[in-house]
């Protein structure tokens, strides 16, 4: 699968990104080159997975909403790309098991904790799946902040390329961190871990993109003064 990934998935993602965006990346030095990793990002548009795939020097297995796999043609592409289908907004235990297997193989797992794209600047409240996996597996979390991709409307923006229009996008990668593994998982612990992950992501973003986590970032900044 690794040769297929780098020769096909990564190559096509890079080509798609260059058609639609001018990407500026900060923090590539923070990406661990091997070992299990949860890549957690805010989510603005369908362009986010290919953008992050193109810039992060790791093979990323993305979790994607199950509805995408039901679209003729597109669903096959998601299967070939090795994405994991997940039922959003519920406890999809099967998807969590598959995600753990990805991490056990030492791969990077791509997740959007918000569960759906916002389509605009401003983070929404996150679901607990990302924190739950991090607590269960001990895998480090790599926070990623993306800005500007809300202007890209795939696949329609292929037309924008023909007009020689490419949108500026900024990707900021933070330092990886691990959450302490509790002896027994409790709801309150998962909630705190979710807040911690989202605070790290929000801290990488410009203020208009922080949304419901703006207060958490502001409080963290005040605590450092």
């Amino acid at each position: 699968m690794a040769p297929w990934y780098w020769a096909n998935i990564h190559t096509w993602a890079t080509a798609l990104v260059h058609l639609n965006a001018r990407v500026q990346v900060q923090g590539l030095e923070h990406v661990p080159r091997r070992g299990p990793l949860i890549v957690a990002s805010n989510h603005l548009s369908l362009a986010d997975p290919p953008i992050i795939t193109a810039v992060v020097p790791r093979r990323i297995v993305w979790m994607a909403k199950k509805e995408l796999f039901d679209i003729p043609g597109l669903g096959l592409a998601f299967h070939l790309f090795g994405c994991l289908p997940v039922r959003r907004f519920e406890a999809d235990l099967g998807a969590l098991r598959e995600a753990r297997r990805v991490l056990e193989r030492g791969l990077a797992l791509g997740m959007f904790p918000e569960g759906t794209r916002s389509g605009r600047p401003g983070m929404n409240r996150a679901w607990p799946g990302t924190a739950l996996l991090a607590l269960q597996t001990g895998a480090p979390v790599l926070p990623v902040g993306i800005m500007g991709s809300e202007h890209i409307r795939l696949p329609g923006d292929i037309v924008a390329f023909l007009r020689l229009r490419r949108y500026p996008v900024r990707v900021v990668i933070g330092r990886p961190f691990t959450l302490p593994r509790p002896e027994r998982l409790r709801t309150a612990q998962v909630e705190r871990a979710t807040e911690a992950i989202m605070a790290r992501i929000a801290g990488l973003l410009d203020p208009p993109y922080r949304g419901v986590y703006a207060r958490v970032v502001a409080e963290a900044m005040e605590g450092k003064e």
Side-chain angles (χ1 to χ4, degrees):
M1 181 62 183
W4 166 267
Y5 179 85
W6 292 109
N8 292 281
I9 299 172
H10 189 271
T11 299
W12 283 109
T14 302
L16 182 63
V17 169
H18 284 303
L19 288 178
N20 292 276
R22 300 190 309 275
V23 183
Q24 177 188 0
V25 187
Q26 298 172 241
L28 278 177
E29 69 276 8
H30 297 150
V31 181
R33 293 305 192 263
R34 59 181 60 87
L37 186 68
I38 298 174
V39 180
S41 172
N42 62 311
H43 197 12
L44 298 168
S45 82
L46 284 175
D48 297 338
I51 289 172
I52 296 172
T53 295
V55 302
V56 172
R58 288 287 303 267
R59 173 187 167 191
I60 302 177
V61 178
W62 286 100
M63 299 192 77
K65 63 181 181 180
K66 186 179 183 299
E67 294 88 335
L68 294 174
F69 291 80
D70 298 328
I71 301 174
L74 186 62
L76 177 61
F78 275 91
H79 280 294
L80 291 175
F81 289 176
C83 296
L84 300 180
V86 59
R87 297 191 304 272
R88 300 178 300 162
F89 317 132
E90 61 178 281
D92 190 342
L93 299 181
L96 289 175
R97 282 195 297 270
E98 290 300 320
R100 285 196 294 269
R101 292 191 184 102
V102 169
L103 296 171
E104 288 167 0
R105 292 167 58 195
L107 300 177
L109 179 72
M111 301 186 73
F112 296 109
E114 294 163 273
T116 188
R117 59 190 184 276
S118 63
R120 53 169 175 70
M123 296 172 71
N124 296 318
R125 185 66 58 185
W127 292 81
T130 304
L132 185 61
L133 274 173
L135 290 169
Q136 288 178 335
T137 65
V141 178
L142 184 74
V144 175
I146 187 166
M147 294 166 279
S149 62
E150 70 274 14
H151 301 297
I152 302 175
R153 298 288 185 262
L154 295 179
D157 269 353
I158 298 299
V159 177
F161 166 70
L162 298 176
R163 297 197 304 266
L164 301 180
R165 182 177 185 181
R166 296 164 70 209
Y167 298 99
V169 174
R170 187 150 61 97
V171 178
V172 184
I173 303 171
R175 296 181 183 276
F177 67 99
T178 56
L179 297 167
R181 298 182 70 175
E183 293 183 5
R184 183 178 179 182
L185 277 177
R186 300 183 184 277
T187 301
Q189 293 170 320
V190 177
E191 291 175 350
R192 287 195 296 269
T194 300
E195 194 86 348
I197 291 171
M198 301 311 286
R200 295 282 188 122
I201 296 172
L204 303 173
L205 300 170
D206 293 341
Y209 285 87
R210 294 171 183 166
V212 299
Y213 294 97
R215 177 186 56 79
V216 178
V217 176
E219 290 175 353
M221 290 180 175
E222 290 176 0
K224 293 179 180 179
E225 295 178 355

